[in-house]
Amino acid sequence: MFKTRITEMLNIKHPILQGAMQWLSRAELVAAVSNAGGLGIISSLTFPTAKELRQEIKKTKGMTRKPFAVNITLMPTARPINYEEYINAAIEEGVNIIETAGRSPKPYMKLLTDARVTVLHKCARVRDAKTAERVGVNAVTIVGFEAGGHPGMEDVTSFVRIPMTVDAVKIPVIAGGGITDARGFVAALALGAEGVVMGTRFMASKECNIHPQIRECLLQATETDTLMIERSIKNAARVLKTDFSQKVLDMEGKGATLEELLPYITGQRGKQAFEEGDVNAGIIHCGQVVGLIHDIPTVKEIIDGIISEARLIGKRLNDIGLFTGMA
Ligand SMILES: Cc1cc2nc3c(=O)[nH]c(=O)nc-3n(C[C@H](O)[C@H](O)[C@H](O)COP(=O)(O)O)c2cc1C
């Protein structure tokens, strides 16, 4: 019922995308989102090799016949990564939607367009959205300062970034950062977005494979329980506030170098935290919207709930006269 250029382009029922989450967006979560009518996105960097990514894609194909995507995060990493290998694995497995993030996808656009892949690019600056459009991506995702993961260095919130991006590009815009329910969904559409991406909300879902203790922390967390770290290395990240992330922030405050920070911010430690349920084992990315999350529903309950409540919001807006005089 919410038909946008995004639902048409991606061949999905609802304009709701699941944000790629390293260690978390694996076959179970991805297939659940796609089966519920959204777009599930596999995080390729969860897998140490392209071969393992390929296996996860095969597993996902066994769990859903609906479209899903693979995310290629082009960010500085401790280990060197051959991105072409990952992209080729996805293409050869028949994935026809690829999301890039973190850096301009320009070096990979020929590879992607030759394979007739639909390219989504996620970024946190309006000017990066314009660059992505110029290099030929099909749609752009813009995330605001509230977002879990990497919301950029400019501290601009979704309410400002979304309409600015919509004004700046002609391709469809997907909005992320701070969206968890029908209110955020409708607001994003009102700002001109044609789809939304949610990370933190899907992290707190039944199909997301995290330790029950981490789930409990998410349920207890309020909107002020996140921190921005890694600013000093120009890779700002919004993470759950814990003793561990506070320590990283303190180290940055005292002028720690990248080499000194690396053992703390490495993804492997985050993996350990998710698996062992120890919030102080590593960094846990998390959005401010965690303060609005009070339950652990299934993915289908999340998506169906948003769609049905969005209708009620439409009715309420109608009742207060918003649509008066419209055909
Ligand atoms: C635990 C976690 C891990 C994430 N990992 C990645 C990642 O590997 N690559 C990426 O492009 N975005 C990553 N993100 C960002 C999400 O895909 C999404 O853009 C963001 O969560 C949206 O904001 P929200 O958390 O307010 O919904 C991550 C987010 C979270 C919460």
Side-chain angles (χ1 to χ4, degrees):
M1 78 171 211
F2 296 102
K3 194 169 143 193
T4 69
R5 284 186 293 170
I6 288 297
T7 55
E8 300 288 289
M9 179 189 288
L10 305 179
N11 192 22
I12 53 175
K13 191 169 169 200
H14 308 304
I16 298 177
L17 286 68
Q18 160 252 309
M21 292 178 279
Q22 194 181 23
W23 314 125
L24 303 179
S25 46
R26 299 166 182 268
E28 290 76 9
L29 178 61
V30 171
V33 173
S34 291
N35 284 335
L39 186 81
I41 307 183
I42 296 178
S43 141
S44 61
L45 293 191
T46 295
F47 306 97
T49 63
K51 192 171 164 214
E52 283 158 275
L53 170 64
R54 199 183 277 273
Q55 282 161 0
E56 196 71 8
I57 295 171
K58 282 190 204 298
K59 184 173 172 191
T60 311
K61 284 195 285 189
M63 298 173 80
T64 183
R65 298 175 74 84
K66 299 278 171 54
F68 62 89
V70 166
N71 165 284
I72 308 283
T73 299
L74 306 163
M75 278 201 172
T77 50
R79 67 179 168 105
I81 290 170
N82 184 335
Y83 292 108
E84 275 95 353
E85 251 179 44
Y86 280 81
I87 294 173
N88 278 324
I91 291 171
E92 283 161 28
E93 284 304 321
V95 173
N96 58 9
I97 307 168
I98 290 189
E99 179 193 62
T100 55
R103 225 184 311 135
S104 170
K106 191 174 175 202
Y108 309 99
M109 284 308 292
K110 183 166 177 352
L111 176 62
L112 293 163
T113 49
D114 283 356
R116 307 175 76 87
V117 164
T118 298
V119 186
L120 315 177
H121 180 68
K122 186 165 64 181
C123 57
R125 290 191 301 192
V126 179
R127 72 167 188 265
D128 294 335
K130 286 167 80 169
T131 304
E133 177 177 56
R134 201 171 56 244
V135 304
V137 308
N138 300 90
V140 72
T141 297
I142 190 82
V143 293
F145 186 49
E146 305 91 323
H150 294 276
M153 295 287 292
E154 293 178 344
D155 301 7
V156 180
T157 60
S158 296
F159 242 74
V160 174
R161 263 189 194 145
I162 299 165
M164 287 199 75
T165 308
V166 169
D167 288 347
V169 298
K170 292 194 176 61
I171 54 176
V173 173
I174 299 158
I179 301 169
T180 187
D181 58 23
R183 294 169 295 183
F185 172 73
V186 172
L189 296 185
L191 292 173
E194 297 186 53
V196 300
V197 65
M198 302 188 298
T200 305
R201 175 66 276 189
F202 286 121
M203 172 161 61
S205 71
K206 282 217 168 71
E207 291 88 343
C208 186
N209 188 19
I210 49 174
H211 196 283
Q213 274 165 239
I214 306 285
R215 275 192 186 156
E216 196 46 43
C217 286
L218 296 177
L219 290 176
Q220 298 304 324
T222 72
E223 74 280 17
T224 57
D225 285 330
T226 70
L227 286 179
M228 290 294 286
I229 61 166
E230 297 178 45
R231 273 186 198 277
S232 63
I233 53 168
K234 304 226 172 334
N235 194 30
R238 185 172 294 286
V239 305
L240 193 63
K241 190 194 277 180
T242 60
D243 291 346
F244 186 86
S245 58
Q246 186 63 57
K247 180 179 162 79
V248 172
L249 194 59
D250 293 345
M251 287 173 69
E252 291 187 80
K254 289 181 189 140
T257 61
L258 173 62
E259 288 67 33
E260 285 163 340
L261 291 171
L262 261 182
Y264 294 89
I265 60 176
T266 162
Q268 286 303 327
R269 287 189 77 145
K271 181 172 188 247
Q272 197 186 332
F274 284 129
E275 287 174 359
E276 295 174 6
D278 177 1
V279 285
N280 289 310
I283 291 299
I284 296 172
H285 292 105
C286 179
Q288 288 182 329
V289 80
V290 71
L292 273 169
I293 293 174
H294 310 298
D295 55 0
I296 308 285
T298 64
V299 160
K300 185 165 166 33
E301 285 165 346
I302 292 171
I303 294 181
D304 287 353
I306 288 177
I307 297 300
S308 61
E309 280 164 40
R311 284 191 183 157
L312 296 178
I313 293 173
K315 186 177 174 313
R316 181 164 58 80
L317 295 177
N318 185 46
D319 290 348
I320 61 171
L322 193 74
F323 304 132
T324 308
M326 292 170 79

